[in-house]
Amino acid sequence: MHTRRRFALGLAVGAAVMLAGCGFELRQPPNYAFRTVFSTVPVNSPLGIKLHRSLTSTGQVEVISDARQIERAQIIFDQLAEFREKVVVGRTSSGAIREYQLRLRYRFRVRTLEGKELIPEAEIQLNRDINFNETGALFKESEEGLLYRDMENDLVQQIQRRLATLRQL
């Protein structure tokens, strides 16, 4: 029994050493080169709420949405377009719809108050496939909403990563 305990302890210590040696590290909040950002994303939109919340959650960034206070901003985040599409991608042999693809396209740019482009006009496109049958139409509507929320979360994370790549203003 004593040797089993010793073996388990050795195994645990070995696993800890291997995990520490591989460079594994939990994801840290991004460090931004700016402290204030003016955002043209509508504050009351689901995407705007998520983006503002994620930027301010680190405590490093203040998001300004009032155009009268734009002079305080170090950078300006311009939302250029947001498109949501639902495209048929599959049909049965009788022509009934079998599969949709949900698409979210988002265009933005980041610039300084003086007009210097830090991130030129960029587009992020996200796609999710959803199967369809007429018997579960109400369930599919709620699934569609969940998939769009998932795409919004993914979009916010991608925007954060791109903002974190800015090193100099």
Side-chain angles (χ1 to χ4, degrees):
M1 190 66 158
H2 190 61
T3 58
R4 281 188 183 169
R5 199 176 290 158
R6 204 178 266 172
F7 177 72
L9 179 63
L11 193 60
V13 169
V17 168
M18 292 287 289
L19 194 59
C22 75
F24 175 78
E25 186 177 333
L26 292 175
R27 183 178 296 175
Q28 302 294 319
N31 290 321
Y32 299 111
F34 54 90
R35 296 292 171 240
T36 54
V37 58
F38 176 78
S39 173
T40 62
V41 181
V43 185
N44 56 358
S45 73
L47 185 63
I49 292 168
K50 289 176 185 176
L51 184 61
H52 290 197
R53 187 177 297 148
S54 67
L55 286 173
T56 58
S57 68
T58 62
Q60 300 174 10
V61 177
E62 177 188 0
V63 178
I64 301 167
S65 54
D66 185 2
R68 295 173 293 193
Q69 297 182 12
I70 194 169
E71 299 83 26
R72 292 183 38 226
Q74 290 178 290
I75 66 168
I76 298 172
F77 181 90
D78 288 321
Q79 173 179 305
L80 303 175
E82 178 184 354
F83 301 105
R84 294 171 187 250
E85 298 174 294
K86 184 177 180 180
V87 179
V88 176
V89 292
R91 293 187 179 268
T92 63
S93 59
S94 62
I97 297 171
R98 189 186 68 198
E99 189 175 5
Y100 285 107
Q101 187 175 67
L102 304 177
R103 297 177 182 167
L104 176 61
R105 286 185 15 225
Y106 190 79
R107 285 193 0 243
F108 70 97
R109 72 176 175 182
V110 178
R111 59 188 170 94
T112 63
L113 199 55
E114 295 79 30
K116 176 184 173 189
E117 285 203 348
L118 302 172
I119 299 177
E121 186 174 321
E123 180 173 293
I124 298 173
Q125 181 170 333
L126 301 166
N127 303 319
R128 300 289 190 272
D129 293 330
I130 183 170
N131 293 326
F132 181 78
N133 62 16
E134 292 178 15
T135 58
L138 289 176
F139 173 72
K140 290 299 178 182
E141 279 185 36
S142 64
E143 184 180 3
E144 185 177 318
L146 288 171
L147 287 172
Y148 271 123
R149 281 193 291 271
D150 179 55
M151 285 192 283
E152 289 169 355
N153 291 336
D154 191 13
L155 178 64
V156 167
Q157 290 175 1
Q158 288 190 39
I159 290 171
Q160 278 188 294
R161 285 192 293 270
R162 290 189 187 191
L163 290 174
T165 62
L166 296 176
R167 295 290 171 223
Q168 293 180 352
L169 304 180

